[in-house]
Amino acid sequence: MQSVKVVVTGPFNAGKTTFIKAVSEITVLSTERQVSDVAGEGSGETTVAMDFGRITISDDVVLYLFGTPGQERFSFMWETLSEGMLGFVLLVDATDGDSFEDAKSMIGFFTDMSDVPFVVAANKVAADDTATIASVRGQLGLADEVPLLPVDARDKDSVKAVLLGLLYRILESMS
Ligand SMILES: Nc1nc2c(ncn2[C@@H]2O[C@H](COP(=O)(O)OP(=O)(O)OP(=O)(O)O)[C@@H](O)[C@H]2O)c(=O)[nH]1
Ligand SMILES: [Mg+2]
């Protein structure tokens, strides 16, 4: 049995917690707090430490999913969570152009931590909206070899497709 540690990161409100909850076969351990309690403004919930979930891919591969906080104020967790990861997903809200700078610096942070494969998943965009997806690639300045996959973080099959895309890159990098 091979255990694969995968980090799910990305800017505030991208959909990371939703992504892990959609696919996990165990009840996700989450650390969410009301945004108003930690930021003094806004509404809804935000991750303050981590999300933890698990998905069995086959008889011999299990992915352990570690979701990060999106807010920079909790970035002390990013380094801890990245320890021992074999790859990461950078999730971005394709409709939130203001978050792209944060997304870029998070890609830099996690690739500096560890030279592992990653994929970018564009959330909250229709899978056939190629113009928006191409624009996200351009604005994030992604190298051609980095996969950019549309995702619906609420949909298990869609999330699973992203994780399989990452796993493929991880296995490729090991061979
Ligand atoms: N329309 C749409 N909304 C989504 C989708 N995924 C997440 N959301 C919504 O986006 C908001 C943020 O989702 P979260 O999963 O909490 O985002 P997060 O990245 O964990 O946020 P932080 O922990 O604060 O960084 C919630 O209101 C979700 O319901 C999606 O695929 N489509
Ligand atoms: Mg969250």
Side-chain angles (χ1 to χ4, degrees):
M1 177 68 74
Q2 174 118 20
S3 299
V4 178
K5 176 174 177 177
V6 167
V7 164
V8 179
T9 191
F12 172 61
N13 208 45
K16 302 174 294 294
T17 300
T18 306
F19 181 102
I20 293 176
K21 285 186 173 168
V23 84
S24 182
E25 64 208 9
I26 55 170
T27 303
V28 174
L29 167 68
S30 281
T31 58
E32 293 192 289
R33 297 290 180 273
Q34 288 297 318
V35 170
S36 53
D37 291 343
V38 294
E41 59 186 35
S43 61
E45 296 196 309
T46 192
T47 301
V48 297
M50 66 181 283
D51 302 303
F52 177 72
R54 185 189 75 198
I55 175 174
T56 304
I57 299 293
S58 67
D59 284 350
D60 36 40
V61 181
V62 179
L63 303 189
Y64 288 94
L65 306 174
F66 292 78
T68 73
Q71 295 189 63
E72 178 100 47
R73 74 182 70 215
F74 303 119
S75 62
F76 56 87
M77 283 302 297
W78 298 352
E79 195 173 332
T80 303
L81 293 176
S82 69
E83 226 160 88
M85 69 177 170
L86 295 186
F88 69 93
V89 176
L90 187 291
L91 187 64
V92 64
D93 176 344
T95 67
D96 182 8
D98 288 350
S99 73
F100 293 175
E101 276 308 311
D102 284 347
K104 271 168 92 165
S105 53
M106 291 173 99
I107 290 172
F109 183 95
F110 283 92
T111 49
D112 282 354
M113 277 297 131
S114 172
D115 183 23
V116 293
F118 70 99
V119 298
V120 178
N123 195 21
K124 310 187 193 180
V125 61
D128 61 359
D129 185 350
T130 48
T132 301
I133 294 163
S135 140
V136 171
R137 173 176 285 283
Q139 292 184 71
L140 293 183
L142 297 180
D144 288 346
E145 70 268 18
V146 177
L148 172 59
L149 309 164
V151 71
D152 183 333
R154 301 162 300 183
D155 181 77
K156 182 178 181 177
D157 289 338
S158 176
V159 171
K160 203 167 167 183
V162 170
L163 292 172
L164 289 174
L166 176 64
L167 185 60
Y168 180 78
R169 301 241 317 157
I170 293 172
L171 295 175
E172 210 179 31
S173 75
M174 286 172 163
S175 60

Short mmCIF file of all heavy atoms in Angstrom, two decimals, residues 85-137:
data_model
loop_
_atom_site.label_atom_id
_atom_site.label_comp_id
_atom_site.label_asym_id
_atom_site.label_seq_id
_atom_site.Cartn_x
_atom_site.Cartn_y
_atom_site.Cartn_z
N MET A 85 5.18 16.21 1.46
CA MET A 85 4.19 16.10 0.37
C MET A 85 4.86 15.57 -0.89
O MET A 85 6.02 15.85 -1.16
CB MET A 85 3.53 17.46 0.09
CG MET A 85 4.44 18.49 -0.54
SD MET A 85 3.56 20.02 -0.91
CE MET A 85 4.95 21.09 -1.35
N LEU A 86 4.08 14.81 -1.68
CA LEU A 86 4.61 14.29 -2.95
C LEU A 86 4.12 15.13 -4.12
O LEU A 86 4.56 14.95 -5.26
CB LEU A 86 4.22 12.83 -3.13
CG LEU A 86 4.84 11.86 -2.12
CD1 LEU A 86 4.50 10.42 -2.48
CD2 LEU A 86 6.36 12.04 -2.05
N GLY A 87 3.18 16.03 -3.86
CA GLY A 87 2.66 16.91 -4.91
C GLY A 87 1.62 17.83 -4.30
O GLY A 87 1.22 17.64 -3.15
N PHE A 88 1.23 18.85 -5.07
CA PHE A 88 0.18 19.73 -4.55
C PHE A 88 -0.76 20.21 -5.66
O PHE A 88 -0.42 20.20 -6.83
CB PHE A 88 0.75 20.89 -3.73
CG PHE A 88 1.53 21.94 -4.49
CD1 PHE A 88 0.90 23.09 -4.98
CD2 PHE A 88 2.90 21.80 -4.68
CE1 PHE A 88 1.63 24.07 -5.65
CE2 PHE A 88 3.64 22.77 -5.35
CZ PHE A 88 3.00 23.92 -5.84
N VAL A 89 -1.96 20.56 -5.21
CA VAL A 89 -2.96 21.17 -6.08
C VAL A 89 -3.04 22.64 -5.68
O VAL A 89 -3.20 22.95 -4.50
CB VAL A 89 -4.36 20.54 -5.88
CG1 VAL A 89 -5.41 21.26 -6.73
CG2 VAL A 89 -4.33 19.05 -6.20
N LEU A 90 -2.91 23.53 -6.67
CA LEU A 90 -3.14 24.95 -6.42
C LEU A 90 -4.52 25.23 -6.97
O LEU A 90 -4.75 25.16 -8.17
CB LEU A 90 -2.06 25.78 -7.12
CG LEU A 90 -1.96 27.29 -6.89
CD1 LEU A 90 -3.12 28.08 -7.50
CD2 LEU A 90 -1.82 27.64 -5.41
N LEU A 91 -5.45 25.53 -6.07
CA LEU A 91 -6.83 25.78 -6.47
C LEU A 91 -7.05 27.29 -6.53
O LEU A 91 -6.65 28.02 -5.62
CB LEU A 91 -7.78 25.14 -5.45
CG LEU A 91 -9.27 25.13 -5.77
CD1 LEU A 91 -9.55 24.29 -7.02
CD2 LEU A 91 -10.05 24.55 -4.59
N VAL A 92 -7.68 27.73 -7.62
CA VAL A 92 -7.91 29.16 -7.76
C VAL A 92 -9.36 29.39 -8.18
O VAL A 92 -9.93 28.58 -8.92
CB VAL A 92 -6.89 29.76 -8.76
CG1 VAL A 92 -7.07 29.22 -10.16
CG2 VAL A 92 -6.95 31.28 -8.79
N ASP A 93 -9.96 30.45 -7.65
CA ASP A 93 -11.30 30.87 -8.08
C ASP A 93 -11.11 31.67 -9.37
O ASP A 93 -10.60 32.79 -9.34
CB ASP A 93 -11.93 31.72 -6.97
CG ASP A 93 -13.30 32.28 -7.37
OD1 ASP A 93 -13.64 32.28 -8.57
OD2 ASP A 93 -14.02 32.74 -6.46
N ALA A 94 -11.52 31.06 -10.49
CA ALA A 94 -11.25 31.67 -11.80
C ALA A 94 -11.97 33.01 -11.97
O ALA A 94 -11.60 33.81 -12.83
CB ALA A 94 -11.65 30.71 -12.92
N THR A 95 -13.00 33.26 -11.15
CA THR A 95 -13.76 34.50 -11.28
C THR A 95 -13.18 35.62 -10.41
O THR A 95 -13.69 36.73 -10.42
CB THR A 95 -15.23 34.29 -10.85
OG1 THR A 95 -15.27 34.03 -9.43
CG2 THR A 95 -15.87 33.12 -11.60
N ASP A 96 -12.14 35.29 -9.63
CA ASP A 96 -11.61 36.26 -8.66
C ASP A 96 -10.20 36.69 -9.06
O ASP A 96 -9.20 36.25 -8.49
CB ASP A 96 -11.62 35.62 -7.26
CG ASP A 96 -11.14 36.57 -6.18
OD1 ASP A 96 -10.93 37.78 -6.48
OD2 ASP A 96 -10.94 36.12 -5.04
N GLY A 97 -10.14 37.57 -10.06
CA GLY A 97 -8.85 38.03 -10.58
C GLY A 97 -7.97 38.66 -9.52
O GLY A 97 -6.74 38.58 -9.60
N ASP A 98 -8.60 39.25 -8.49
CA ASP A 98 -7.82 39.89 -7.43
C ASP A 98 -6.98 38.88 -6.65
O ASP A 98 -6.04 39.26 -5.96
CB ASP A 98 -8.74 40.61 -6.43
CG ASP A 98 -9.35 41.87 -7.05
OD1 ASP A 98 -8.90 42.26 -8.14
OD2 ASP A 98 -10.28 42.42 -6.44
N SER A 99 -7.37 37.61 -6.73
CA SER A 99 -6.64 36.59 -5.94
C SER A 99 -5.46 35.99 -6.71
O SER A 99 -4.69 35.21 -6.16
CB SER A 99 -7.59 35.46 -5.53
OG SER A 99 -7.90 34.64 -6.64
N PHE A 100 -5.29 36.37 -7.98
CA PHE A 100 -4.27 35.69 -8.79
C PHE A 100 -2.84 35.99 -8.32
O PHE A 100 -1.96 35.14 -8.42
CB PHE A 100 -4.43 36.03 -10.28
CG PHE A 100 -5.68 35.48 -10.92
CD1 PHE A 100 -6.01 35.79 -12.23
CD2 PHE A 100 -6.56 34.65 -10.22
CE1 PHE A 100 -7.17 35.29 -12.83
CE2 PHE A 100 -7.72 34.14 -10.80
CZ PHE A 100 -8.02 34.47 -12.12
N GLU A 101 -2.61 37.21 -7.82
CA GLU A 101 -1.28 37.52 -7.30
C GLU A 101 -0.94 36.62 -6.11
O GLU A 101 0.18 36.11 -6.00
CB GLU A 101 -1.19 38.99 -6.87
CG GLU A 101 -0.86 39.94 -8.02
CD GLU A 101 0.38 39.53 -8.82
OE1 GLU A 101 1.43 39.26 -8.19
OE2 GLU A 101 0.30 39.48 -10.07
N ASP A 102 -1.94 36.42 -5.23
CA ASP A 102 -1.74 35.51 -4.09
C ASP A 102 -1.47 34.09 -4.60
O ASP A 102 -0.60 33.39 -4.06
CB ASP A 102 -2.99 35.48 -3.19
CG ASP A 102 -3.10 36.73 -2.33
OD1 ASP A 102 -2.11 37.48 -2.25
OD2 ASP A 102 -4.18 36.94 -1.74
N ALA A 103 -2.22 33.69 -5.63
CA ALA A 103 -2.04 32.33 -6.18
C ALA A 103 -0.61 32.15 -6.69
O ALA A 103 0.04 31.14 -6.43
CB ALA A 103 -3.05 32.07 -7.30
N LYS A 104 -0.13 33.18 -7.38
CA LYS A 104 1.24 33.11 -7.91
C LYS A 104 2.26 32.98 -6.79
O LYS A 104 3.20 32.19 -6.87
CB LYS A 104 1.56 34.38 -8.71
CG LYS A 104 1.18 34.29 -10.16
CD LYS A 104 1.26 35.65 -10.82
CE LYS A 104 2.59 35.95 -11.45
NZ LYS A 104 2.47 37.12 -12.36
N SER A 105 2.08 33.79 -5.74
CA SER A 105 3.09 33.71 -4.68
C SER A 105 2.97 32.39 -3.91
O SER A 105 3.98 31.88 -3.41
CB SER A 105 3.10 34.94 -3.77
OG SER A 105 1.84 35.19 -3.27
N MET A 106 1.78 31.81 -3.85
CA MET A 106 1.65 30.50 -3.17
C MET A 106 2.34 29.41 -4.00
O MET A 106 2.96 28.51 -3.43
CB MET A 106 0.17 30.17 -2.93
CG MET A 106 -0.44 31.08 -1.88
SD MET A 106 -2.22 30.86 -1.69
CE MET A 106 -2.27 29.82 -0.25
N ILE A 107 2.23 29.50 -5.32
CA ILE A 107 2.95 28.53 -6.17
C ILE A 107 4.45 28.65 -5.87
O ILE A 107 5.14 27.65 -5.68
CB ILE A 107 2.68 28.78 -7.67
CG1 ILE A 107 1.24 28.40 -8.01
CG2 ILE A 107 3.65 27.96 -8.53
CD1 ILE A 107 0.80 28.79 -9.44
N GLY A 108 4.94 29.89 -5.77
CA GLY A 108 6.35 30.11 -5.46
C GLY A 108 6.72 29.55 -4.10
O GLY A 108 7.73 28.85 -3.95
N PHE A 109 5.87 29.79 -3.12
CA PHE A 109 6.13 29.32 -1.75
C PHE A 109 6.25 27.79 -1.71
O PHE A 109 7.21 27.24 -1.17
CB PHE A 109 5.01 29.78 -0.81
CG PHE A 109 5.23 29.41 0.63
CD1 PHE A 109 5.82 30.29 1.52
CD2 PHE A 109 4.85 28.15 1.09
CE1 PHE A 109 6.03 29.93 2.84
CE2 PHE A 109 5.06 27.78 2.42
CZ PHE A 109 5.65 28.68 3.29
N PHE A 110 5.27 27.10 -2.31
CA PHE A 110 5.25 25.64 -2.20
C PHE A 110 6.30 24.97 -3.09
O PHE A 110 6.85 23.94 -2.70
CB PHE A 110 3.84 25.09 -2.45
CG PHE A 110 2.95 25.29 -1.26
CD1 PHE A 110 2.16 26.44 -1.14
CD2 PHE A 110 2.95 24.38 -0.22
CE1 PHE A 110 1.37 26.65 -0.02
CE2 PHE A 110 2.16 24.58 0.92
CZ PHE A 110 1.38 25.72 1.02
N THR A 111 6.61 25.56 -4.24
CA THR A 111 7.68 24.96 -5.05
C THR A 111 9.04 25.21 -4.41
O THR A 111 9.95 24.40 -4.53
CB THR A 111 7.65 25.45 -6.52
OG1 THR A 111 7.57 26.86 -6.53
CG2 THR A 111 6.48 24.89 -7.29
N ASP A 112 9.18 26.33 -3.67
CA ASP A 112 10.43 26.56 -2.92
C ASP A 112 10.58 25.56 -1.78
O ASP A 112 11.69 25.11 -1.48
CB ASP A 112 10.45 27.97 -2.32
CG ASP A 112 10.80 29.03 -3.35
OD1 ASP A 112 11.13 28.66 -4.50
OD2 ASP A 112 10.70 30.23 -3.02
N MET A 113 9.46 25.23 -1.14
CA MET A 113 9.48 24.28 -0.02
C MET A 113 9.96 22.92 -0.49
O MET A 113 10.70 22.23 0.21
CB MET A 113 8.06 24.08 0.53
CG MET A 113 7.59 25.12 1.50
SD MET A 113 8.63 25.07 2.94
CE MET A 113 8.99 26.77 3.07
N SER A 114 9.47 22.52 -1.67
CA SER A 114 9.74 21.16 -2.13
C SER A 114 9.53 21.11 -3.65
O SER A 114 8.52 21.60 -4.14
CB SER A 114 8.77 20.24 -1.39
OG SER A 114 8.82 18.97 -1.88
N ASP A 115 10.50 20.50 -4.31
CA ASP A 115 10.45 20.46 -5.78
C ASP A 115 9.61 19.26 -6.23
O ASP A 115 10.12 18.26 -6.68
CB ASP A 115 11.88 20.36 -6.30
CG ASP A 115 11.93 20.39 -7.81
OD1 ASP A 115 10.98 20.90 -8.42
OD2 ASP A 115 12.92 19.88 -8.37
N VAL A 116 8.29 19.38 -6.05
CA VAL A 116 7.38 18.28 -6.39
C VAL A 116 6.44 18.73 -7.50
O VAL A 116 6.25 19.93 -7.72
CB VAL A 116 6.55 17.84 -5.15
CG1 VAL A 116 7.44 17.22 -4.09
CG2 VAL A 116 5.74 19.00 -4.59
N PRO A 117 5.83 17.77 -8.21
CA PRO A 117 4.87 18.14 -9.25
C PRO A 117 3.63 18.82 -8.65
O PRO A 117 3.26 18.55 -7.50
CB PRO A 117 4.46 16.79 -9.86
CG PRO A 117 5.47 15.81 -9.41
CD PRO A 117 6.01 16.31 -8.11
N PHE A 118 3.03 19.69 -9.45
CA PHE A 118 1.75 20.28 -9.03
C PHE A 118 0.85 20.48 -10.24
O PHE A 118 1.33 20.48 -11.37
CB PHE A 118 1.97 21.59 -8.26
CG PHE A 118 2.47 22.76 -9.09
CD1 PHE A 118 1.59 23.74 -9.55
CD2 PHE A 118 3.82 22.88 -9.39
CE1 PHE A 118 2.06 24.81 -10.31
CE2 PHE A 118 4.29 23.95 -10.14
CZ PHE A 118 3.41 24.92 -10.61
N VAL A 119 -0.44 20.60 -9.96
CA VAL A 119 -1.39 20.98 -11.00
C VAL A 119 -2.18 22.18 -10.48
O VAL A 119 -2.31 22.38 -9.28
CB VAL A 119 -2.37 19.84 -11.37
CG1 VAL A 119 -1.61 18.63 -11.94
CG2 VAL A 119 -3.23 19.41 -10.20
N VAL A 120 -2.67 22.98 -11.42
CA VAL A 120 -3.53 24.11 -11.06
C VAL A 120 -4.96 23.74 -11.44
O VAL A 120 -5.20 23.22 -12.54
CB VAL A 120 -3.08 25.39 -11.77
CG1 VAL A 120 -4.02 26.56 -11.44
CG2 VAL A 120 -1.65 25.74 -11.38
N ALA A 121 -5.90 23.95 -10.52
CA ALA A 121 -7.30 23.67 -10.81
C ALA A 121 -8.07 24.98 -10.76
O ALA A 121 -7.97 25.74 -9.79
CB ALA A 121 -7.85 22.67 -9.80
N ALA A 122 -8.80 25.28 -11.83
CA ALA A 122 -9.58 26.51 -11.93
C ALA A 122 -11.02 26.20 -11.51
O ALA A 122 -11.73 25.46 -12.18
CB ALA A 122 -9.54 27.06 -13.35
N ASN A 123 -11.42 26.78 -10.38
CA ASN A 123 -12.74 26.52 -9.80
C ASN A 123 -13.72 27.63 -10.20
O ASN A 123 -13.31 28.73 -10.58
CB ASN A 123 -12.59 26.45 -8.28
CG ASN A 123 -13.79 25.84 -7.59
OD1 ASN A 123 -14.58 25.11 -8.21
ND2 ASN A 123 -13.94 26.12 -6.30
N LYS A 124 -15.00 27.32 -10.08
CA LYS A 124 -16.08 28.29 -10.31
C LYS A 124 -16.10 28.79 -11.76
O LYS A 124 -16.43 29.95 -12.02
CB LYS A 124 -16.01 29.46 -9.30
CG LYS A 124 -15.89 28.99 -7.84
CD LYS A 124 -15.99 30.11 -6.81
CE LYS A 124 -15.55 29.65 -5.43
NZ LYS A 124 -15.63 30.69 -4.40
N VAL A 125 -15.71 27.91 -12.69
CA VAL A 125 -15.74 28.25 -14.11
C VAL A 125 -16.29 27.03 -14.86
O VAL A 125 -16.04 25.89 -14.47
CB VAL A 125 -14.32 28.62 -14.62
CG1 VAL A 125 -13.34 27.47 -14.47
CG2 VAL A 125 -14.34 29.12 -16.05
N ALA A 126 -17.08 27.28 -15.92
CA ALA A 126 -17.61 26.17 -16.71
C ALA A 126 -16.47 25.47 -17.43
O ALA A 126 -15.54 26.13 -17.93
CB ALA A 126 -18.64 26.68 -17.71
N ALA A 127 -16.53 24.14 -17.49
CA ALA A 127 -15.42 23.36 -18.06
C ALA A 127 -15.17 23.71 -19.53
O ALA A 127 -14.06 23.56 -20.02
CB ALA A 127 -15.73 21.87 -17.92
N ASP A 128 -16.21 24.22 -20.22
CA ASP A 128 -16.02 24.55 -21.65
C ASP A 128 -15.70 26.03 -21.88
O ASP A 128 -15.65 26.49 -23.02
CB ASP A 128 -17.26 24.13 -22.46
CG ASP A 128 -18.52 24.85 -21.99
OD1 ASP A 128 -18.43 25.66 -21.03
OD2 ASP A 128 -19.59 24.61 -22.59
N ASP A 129 -15.47 26.77 -20.80
CA ASP A 129 -15.15 28.19 -20.93
C ASP A 129 -13.64 28.34 -21.16
O ASP A 129 -12.89 28.77 -20.28
CB ASP A 129 -15.60 28.94 -19.66
CG ASP A 129 -15.42 30.45 -19.77
OD1 ASP A 129 -14.77 30.91 -20.73
OD2 ASP A 129 -15.90 31.16 -18.87
N THR A 130 -13.22 27.99 -22.37
CA THR A 130 -11.77 27.93 -22.65
C THR A 130 -11.12 29.31 -22.60
O THR A 130 -9.94 29.43 -22.26
CB THR A 130 -11.51 27.28 -24.02
OG1 THR A 130 -12.37 27.88 -24.97
CG2 THR A 130 -11.78 25.79 -23.98
N ALA A 131 -11.90 30.36 -22.90
CA ALA A 131 -11.32 31.71 -22.88
C ALA A 131 -10.89 32.08 -21.46
O ALA A 131 -9.77 32.57 -21.23
CB ALA A 131 -12.33 32.72 -23.42
N THR A 132 -11.79 31.85 -20.49
CA THR A 132 -11.45 32.16 -19.10
C THR A 132 -10.28 31.31 -18.62
O THR A 132 -9.36 31.80 -17.96
CB THR A 132 -12.68 31.94 -18.18
OG1 THR A 132 -13.73 32.78 -18.65
CG2 THR A 132 -12.37 32.26 -16.73
N ILE A 133 -10.31 30.03 -18.98
CA ILE A 133 -9.25 29.12 -18.53
C ILE A 133 -7.89 29.55 -19.11
O ILE A 133 -6.88 29.59 -18.40
CB ILE A 133 -9.62 27.66 -18.88
CG1 ILE A 133 -10.86 27.25 -18.05
CG2 ILE A 133 -8.46 26.71 -18.59
CD1 ILE A 133 -11.58 26.03 -18.55
N ALA A 134 -7.91 29.95 -20.39
CA ALA A 134 -6.65 30.41 -21.01
C ALA A 134 -6.17 31.69 -20.34
O ALA A 134 -4.96 31.90 -20.14
CB ALA A 134 -6.86 30.63 -22.50
N SER A 135 -7.12 32.55 -19.97
CA SER A 135 -6.74 33.81 -19.33
C SER A 135 -6.14 33.56 -17.94
O SER A 135 -5.19 34.24 -17.53
CB SER A 135 -7.95 34.74 -19.32
OG SER A 135 -8.04 35.44 -18.12
N VAL A 136 -6.68 32.59 -17.22
CA VAL A 136 -6.11 32.23 -15.91
C VAL A 136 -4.66 31.76 -16.10
O VAL A 136 -3.74 32.19 -15.39
CB VAL A 136 -6.94 31.12 -15.21
CG1 VAL A 136 -6.22 30.60 -13.97
CG2 VAL A 136 -8.33 31.65 -14.84
N ARG A 137 -4.43 30.92 -17.11
CA ARG A 137 -3.07 30.43 -17.36
C ARG A 137 -2.12 31.59 -17.62
O ARG A 137 -1.02 31.66 -17.05
CB ARG A 137 -3.08 29.47 -18.57
CG ARG A 137 -1.68 29.06 -19.00
CD ARG A 137 -1.69 28.03 -20.13
NE ARG A 137 -2.06 26.70 -19.69
CZ ARG A 137 -1.25 25.86 -19.04
NH1 ARG A 137 -0.01 26.21 -18.76
NH2 ARG A 137 -1.66 24.68 -18.67
#
